Amino acid sequence: MEARYEALRRAAEEVAAVDAHAHNLVELASAFPFLRCFSEAEGDALALAPHSLSFKVRRPPPAPRALSFKRSLRDIAALYNCEASLEKVEEFRTAEGLKSISSKCFEAANISAILIDDGITFDKMLDLESHKALSPLIGRVLRIERLAETIINDESFSGSSWTLDSFTESYVAKLKSVSTQIVALKSIAAYRSGLEINPNVSKTDAEDGLRKELTGPRPFRITNKNLIDYLFTCSLEIAVSANLPVQIHTGFGDKDLDLRKCNPLHLRAVLEDKRFSKCQIVLLHASYPFSKEASYLASVYSQVYLDFGLAIPKLSVHGMTSSLKELLELAPIKKVMFSTDGYAFPETYYLGAKKARDVVYNVLAAACEDGDLSIQEAIEAVDDIFRRNALHLYKLNVTNGSINNETTIAGGGVSSTSVEEDVLFVRIIWSDASGQNRCRVVPAGRFYEVTRNKGVGLTFAVMGMTSFCDGPADGTNLTGVGEIRLVPDMPTLLRLPWSSREEMVMADMQIRPGEAWEYCPRNALRKVTKVLLDEFNVTMKAGFENEFFLRRKLVSDGVEQWVPYDNTNYCSTSAFDGASSILQEVYSSLKTSDIVVEQLHAESGKGQFEIALKYILCTLAADKLIYARETIKSIARKHGLLATFLPKPDLNDIGSGSHVHLSLWEDDQNVFMGSSKDNFYGMSKTGAQFLAGVYHHLSSILAFTAPHPNSYDRIQPNTWSGAYLCWGKENREAPLRTACPPGVPLELVSNFEIKSFDACANPHLGLAAIVAAGIDGLRRGLKLPEPVESNPADYASKLQRLPQNLQESVESLSGDKVLHELIGDKLVKAAIAIRKAEIDHYAKNPGAFNDLIYRY
């Protein structure tokens, strides 16, 4: 099984995790005992910890030992390369010092951000700032009970002077003053009076509870249930207005809690309260031993999320595995998060991360074995659990080096001041049916207060617009009557590398909350890839080659022209050298945006370059292609240049394509590639049938992948653009080329390339058309003709010419029932109407082509 799930194992081991709940470290000289690294026990119970199944010694244990202790000590000793005994580990710690052992532990843990609840105090505890040397990003989680106790223990007030109103006023004011510095609130009500919170506790009862607390000795420790319930409810109201998640201790912990009162089901009254329906509540510690109950709550309440820190690594392997499986029984994967619950000792962070990676891998691999997940889905789940869910929930921007709460409380509402000190605008991006990237821009304060959840309104007409007119084309059935919601897809949010005070996010088009609009390109691609997965258990990956021209401004006799950046040739060293500073900035920006560049070089055209991106799941590849083009164009503009992806900006020069390499995957296996037993010109049967579907529908596909009249100026014989209907192995003149890159056996191929794909295409629609055609090939078992192994132009009399203009590809698409059915009849008809309008316009206005360099 290990070999089959190697990609999943690698994903679990390599993901840079967000530790969503942890605590401060202590100095080595702290009186807090190192034995607490292994156990929640205290006093006499802690003294017995070494006599647990978890403690690793060289002789047989004299008594039963806690499983986690033995395992944890062994793991730490292996990291330190010392003897697996408590004495030797402590000797190593003392000899190396805190800085050294922290470096070892955090490097091994691979943690990209830590959210620290500093409400628990240890002897010689490090402050929050000290932790920034250990992880790129540190965020603060504010414990509400600690804040309340800090206020009532203030020596400037006598206990008798407090009233509930004065206490509440001080509490809210203090919370406002720190709200810009925190990422979440946290409650330990479970420790004090239990989770059966009364959200409607009366002020009279709360006032009485406060008076009772104040009659005790200082320092006051709040335990009165009515006051705890009031404080909890007040805090949730503030969390809602500030858009702050609330972490809640549930399940097991130190001995001073009553486990019977820590079942998260006790929170039902809070969860049913409409005031808190939008308050994102995180149940900590897998709610162990109530993991099933927590999973149920997350499945039926949209605001409930789960965090499994502490349960992993404190339980036995069986216990950790069972607890995580129980969480995933009902809860959506998008709601389950990793944390170490690390505290005091850097080893706790290391152990939490190490065991979490092992356990998550084993649980997800078992889900794949059971058929609950494909391997690709499991790999995505790894990223969700360890990183993406926390980034989304806590509104973090780890990739770009910031960790902020994007909203603050002011006057009972949400203020945009603090977020707009960091991020001013958020661009909500979509690509229309004519392949133009467009955006609505929302001030960041409003975005994080309202728009991130509700979206912005947009007229139906946007998906009927052409490259020459911002109005809907006749025949699209789309007008200015009717409105959709453009809803941000938050996992795609990133900071603009070239403009540090702006962010951008891809958006889905919805006709009503949660319901996709039938004209939404992203949904069209998701829809056909779901059919591919459901019917054939296959996903498609895509890697795009971005060809573009750089042009510089030349003003002569008062006339502005954009002329080629240089006049060099293919792979010219001088061309690359001349543009190196620009390309370096482009590369660094793409890397910051998690867009992987595999190669870049000068192309054949004057001032033409190519940047090839790594293949990834096709839905992600389409999004990242849009981001890549935005990045390239913006950085060129920053340098006073114009970058254009137009297929043929100069009829006397070579054209630019957006060639795409495609492969098919079942779990983590490339099933496009053939084998010794299944080999058709290097392809598997599945691969050959899929490619045959693309071959048979290629003329129709061109209406999506080469969707502009200018596209056909590029698709000409002898230009490596694919002018004839054929395919061939490593034949760059064929529109469909099967490829055998380095590392693949010569008798096999790993992917195929479509040459006739350019940047006028909406990438989601282009890929959707390809997937739909491939599905037809698989359904009908279509077969490919023999490959063409030389220049197709040499066989011009025998080979069918692909459409020589957009009109011909539109006619082919009009009669293609398969693409109409799988992509959606209304969307296809709208695309056809747009193409017809552009055919007519550019035929009548040939000079209008000159403006297209600004649009593509």
Side-chain angles (χ1 to χ4, degrees):
M1 187 176 86
E2 286 291 326
R4 184 184 178 201
Y5 297 116
E6 177 57 32
L8 177 60
R9 164 68 77 180
R10 192 164 56 251
E13 290 177 347
E14 295 177 359
V15 61
V18 174
D19 188 349
H21 179 258
H23 306 277
N24 302 63
L25 295 176
V26 300
E27 297 176 9
L28 286 185
S30 171
F32 193 66
F34 181 59
L35 265 178
R36 289 293 300 273
C37 177
F38 306 97
S39 173
E40 293 289 297
E42 297 181 47
D44 292 341
L46 180 62
L48 294 173
H51 302 288
S52 64
L53 284 176
S54 67
F55 192 64
K56 172 68 175 176
V57 291
R58 292 201 176 273
R59 59 186 182 279
R65 302 170 178 263
L67 295 173
S68 63
F69 201 113
K70 181 177 183 180
R71 181 192 65 242
S72 297
L73 187 65
R74 185 172 60 242
D75 289 340
I76 293 171
L79 177 67
Y80 291 162
N81 194 27
C82 69
E83 181 182 318
S85 70
L86 184 61
E87 294 77 16
K88 292 299 182 183
V89 167
E90 289 193 291
E91 285 178 13
F92 182 91
R93 299 179 87 248
T94 301
E96 289 290 311
L98 182 61
K99 183 176 180 180
S100 175
I101 63 171
S102 295
S103 177
K104 287 180 182 291
C105 289
F106 280 90
E107 182 178 348
N110 190 15
I111 294 172
S112 63
I114 309 172
L115 309 187
I116 294 180
D117 162 25
D118 59 355
I120 185 171
T121 56
F122 302 117
D123 178 54
K124 293 183 174 60
M125 186 172 81
L126 301 183
D127 61 21
L128 219 59
E129 190 69 24
S130 301
H131 295 74
K132 292 183 178 180
L134 306 175
S135 180
L137 297 168
I138 302 295
R140 184 187 179 201
V141 177
L142 179 68
R143 186 180 293 202
I144 63 175
E145 293 84 5
R146 176 65 185 279
L147 176 63
E149 288 163 353
T150 301
I151 292 170
I152 63 172
N153 282 306
D154 189 334
E155 293 294 339
S156 60
F157 293 90
S158 64
S160 59
S161 68
W162 284 112
T163 66
L164 186 67
D165 286 341
S166 64
F167 166 73
T168 302
E169 182 181 353
S170 295
Y171 178 79
V172 172
K174 183 63 176 177
L175 191 50
K176 286 180 181 180
S177 72
V178 299
S179 61
T180 60
Q181 305 157 33
I182 62 177
V183 294
L185 301 179
K186 179 185 174 182
S187 171
I188 56 167
Y191 274 99
R192 304 299 176 84
S193 55
L195 294 179
E196 197 168 357
I197 305 292
N198 175 11
N200 298 306
V201 61
S202 70
K203 290 188 68 174
T204 301
D205 288 341
E207 182 95 55
D208 182 64
L210 177 61
R211 282 199 303 270
K212 289 178 179 178
E213 294 286 2
L214 296 175
T215 60
R218 285 181 183 268
F220 302 119
R221 182 176 183 271
I222 300 174
T223 58
N224 181 272
K225 184 180 188 310
N226 287 330
L227 184 56
I228 290 286
D229 290 358
Y230 175 83
L231 177 66
F232 186 97
T233 305
C234 177
S235 300
L236 256 60
E237 290 174 344
I238 295 172
V240 170
S241 67
N243 197 19
L244 283 168
V246 179
Q247 299 181 346
I248 300 177
H249 181 106
T250 61
F252 75 134
D254 299 337
K255 70 174 185 177
D256 56 343
L257 61 72
D258 185 340
L259 189 59
R260 296 167 297 179
K261 296 180 180 180
C262 298
N263 189 325
L265 290 179
H266 290 312
L267 291 168
R268 189 169 183 275
V270 173
L271 300 176
E272 287 288 327
D273 195 309
K274 292 183 179 179
R275 291 174 295 169
F276 311 129
S277 62
K278 298 298 183 183
C279 184
Q280 296 162 316
I281 291 175
V282 183
L283 306 181
L284 297 174
H285 312 319
S287 300
Y288 182 83
F290 310 112
S291 301
K292 289 182 179 179
E293 289 87 341
S295 180
Y296 163 73
L297 292 176
S299 72
V300 297
Y301 291 103
S302 63
Q303 71 268 42
V304 174
Y305 295 78
L306 309 175
D307 182 306
F308 55 71
L310 188 65
I312 300 175
K314 294 300 183 187
L315 304 179
S316 68
V317 172
H318 173 76
M320 293 187 292
T321 303
S322 297
S323 182
L324 183 57
K325 282 185 174 180
E326 288 176 358
L327 292 184
L328 294 173
E329 289 289 341
L330 293 172
I333 290 173
K334 292 286 187 184
K335 287 187 168 189
V336 179
M337 287 172 290
F338 155 81
S339 75
T340 63
D341 199 36
Y343 58 92
F345 315 106
E347 292 87 350
T348 59
Y349 285 83
Y350 165 66
L351 293 172
K354 182 180 188 305
K355 296 317 301 180
R357 294 176 192 277
D358 290 342
V359 172
V360 169
Y361 162 74
N362 287 322
V363 168
L364 294 179
C368 294
E369 285 291 302
D370 293 340
D372 289 333
L373 294 173
S374 69
I375 292 181
Q376 185 59 45
E377 289 170 332
I379 290 171
E380 292 181 20
V382 165
D383 200 47
D384 285 337
I385 291 169
F386 280 102
R387 190 180 68 90
R388 198 154 45 199
N389 294 346
L391 294 179
H392 185 193
L393 180 66
Y394 297 106
K395 298 173 283 296
L396 311 178
N397 197 344
V398 169
T399 301
N400 294 289
S402 64
I403 180 168
N404 304 291
N405 173 40
E406 271 82 351
T407 54
T408 59
I409 313 162
V414 178
S415 166
S416 63
T417 303
S418 66
V419 60
E420 291 183 359
E421 290 175 356
D422 180 36
V423 179
L424 195 61
F425 297 138
V426 181
R427 303 180 187 184
I428 307 174
I429 294 179
W430 76 97
S431 182
D432 67 17
S434 69
Q436 295 180 88
N437 297 343
R438 301 176 185 261
C439 71
R440 280 285 186 88
V441 181
V442 179
R446 178 168 178 79
F447 178 86
Y448 284 102
E449 177 188 357
V450 177
T451 310
R452 69 190 296 264
N453 294 316
K454 296 182 179 179
V456 294
L458 207 61
T459 173
F460 281 3
V462 294
M463 282 302 289
M465 293 178 180
T466 66
S467 64
F468 64 85
C469 177
D470 284 342
D474 291 341
T476 59
N477 200 34
L478 297 166
T479 69
V481 178
E483 186 167 273
I484 60 165
R485 289 291 178 267
L486 197 64
V487 180
D489 182 7
M490 291 303 291
T492 68
L493 180 76
L494 58 81
R495 186 75 60 96
L496 299 190
W498 64 89
S499 179
S500 62
R501 297 196 66 198
E502 293 187 55
E503 294 174 330
M504 61 182 172
V505 64
M506 294 298 300
D508 290 316
M509 296 174 170
Q510 297 181 359
I511 192 66
R512 56 182 59 87
E515 182 181 336
W517 191 37
E518 54 202 333
Y519 293 90
C520 176
R522 296 180 86 228
N523 184 66
L525 179 56
R526 278 196 293 262
K527 184 172 65 174
V528 293
T529 54
K530 185 177 187 301
V531 173
L532 182 65
L533 181 63
D534 290 347
E535 293 189 19
F536 304 102
N537 197 32
V538 165
T539 58
M540 187 176 80
K541 293 186 180 183
F544 283 95
E545 299 174 6
N546 285 277
E547 294 178 340
F548 59 95
F549 285 91
L550 287 179
R551 292 190 166 184
R552 56 187 174 85
K553 186 185 293 186
L554 177 67
V555 179
S556 178
D557 296 329
V559 178
E560 178 184 289
Q561 290 181 298
W562 289 97
V563 300
Y565 183 72
D566 63 28
N567 292 295
T568 56
N569 53 5
Y570 174 70
C571 281
S572 164
T573 54
S574 59
F576 192 89
D577 189 56
S580 182
S581 61
I582 301 166
L583 297 174
Q584 286 179 30
E585 187 172 348
V586 167
Y587 171 78
S588 297
S589 296
L590 293 175
K591 185 177 181 180
T592 297
S593 303
D594 199 26
I595 299 173
V596 180
V597 174
E598 291 200 326
Q599 291 187 46
L600 56 169
H601 62 268
E603 262 294 351
S604 298
K606 296 175 181 178
Q608 188 184 34
F609 294 87
E610 177 183 306
I611 297 178
L613 307 181
K614 181 177 175 58
Y615 65 90
I616 52 176
L617 201 63
C618 65
T619 47
L620 299 177
D623 288 345
K624 289 182 184 282
L625 179 66
I626 290 172
Y627 280 173
R629 290 177 184 161
E630 289 294 300
T631 301
I632 293 166
K633 289 172 76 73
S634 296
I635 290 174
R637 189 178 300 114
K638 176 181 171 182
H639 286 265
L641 304 175
L642 181 144
T644 180
F645 294 82
L646 188 67
K648 196 77 168 180
D650 184 345
L651 297 181
N652 297 313
D653 201 352
I654 203 74
S656 287
S658 186
H659 310 162
V660 61
H661 289 257
L662 304 163
S663 53
L664 302 176
W665 294 76
E666 183 176 340
D667 297 328
D668 61 342
Q669 299 295 316
N670 184 336
V671 294
F672 181 83
M673 186 161 59
S675 65
S676 58
K677 297 180 180 179
D678 183 16
N679 191 330
F680 177 80
Y681 290 100
M683 293 174 278
S684 67
K685 180 180 178 181
T686 296
Q689 289 180 351
F690 187 95
L691 183 57
V694 176
Y695 173 90
H696 279 82
H697 291 275
L698 189 55
S699 294
S700 302
I701 291 171
L702 289 188
F704 287 106
T705 62
H708 198 279
N710 184 255
S711 302
Y712 297 83
D713 292 325
R714 169 184 165 261
I715 302 176
Q716 298 294 327
N718 302 308
T719 60
W720 294 10
S721 57
Y724 294 91
L725 181 58
C726 62
W727 74 279
K729 182 176 180 180
E730 299 294 9
N731 188 340
R732 283 174 167 76
E733 279 291 352
L736 302 174
R737 172 177 78 100
T738 58
C740 177
V744 174
L746 292 177
E747 69 276 9
L748 301 178
V749 293
S750 64
N751 65 84
F752 71 97
E753 177 187 26
I754 296 186
K755 291 282 188 180
S756 41
F757 202 126
D758 66 48
C760 290
N762 177 302
H764 297 90
L765 293 180
L767 291 174
I770 293 165
V771 173
I775 289 170
D776 188 48
L778 291 169
R779 282 175 173 175
R780 295 199 287 148
L782 295 177
K783 295 183 178 180
L784 286 164
E786 291 298 304
V788 172
E789 297 180 344
S790 58
N791 190 341
D794 296 340
Y795 304 91
S797 61
K798 298 179 180 179
L799 292 175
Q800 177 184 332
R801 184 76 154 83
L802 281 173
Q804 298 184 57
N805 53 58
L806 182 57
Q807 181 64 42
E808 292 180 7
S809 63
V810 166
E811 290 172 358
S812 181
L813 177 60
S814 296
D816 196 317
K817 294 181 180 179
V818 170
L819 267 58
H820 279 256
E821 175 192 346
L822 286 171
I823 296 173
D825 186 60
K826 290 183 179 180
L827 178 53
V828 172
K829 286 181 177 177
I832 288 173
I834 292 168
R835 309 296 182 257
K836 288 181 175 179
E838 295 192 321
I839 292 167
D840 180 66
H841 177 79
Y842 290 103
K844 294 176 179 177
N845 304 278
F849 280 111
N850 297 328
D851 294 331
L852 293 175
I853 60 170
Y854 305 106
R855 295 181 178 252
Y856 297 100

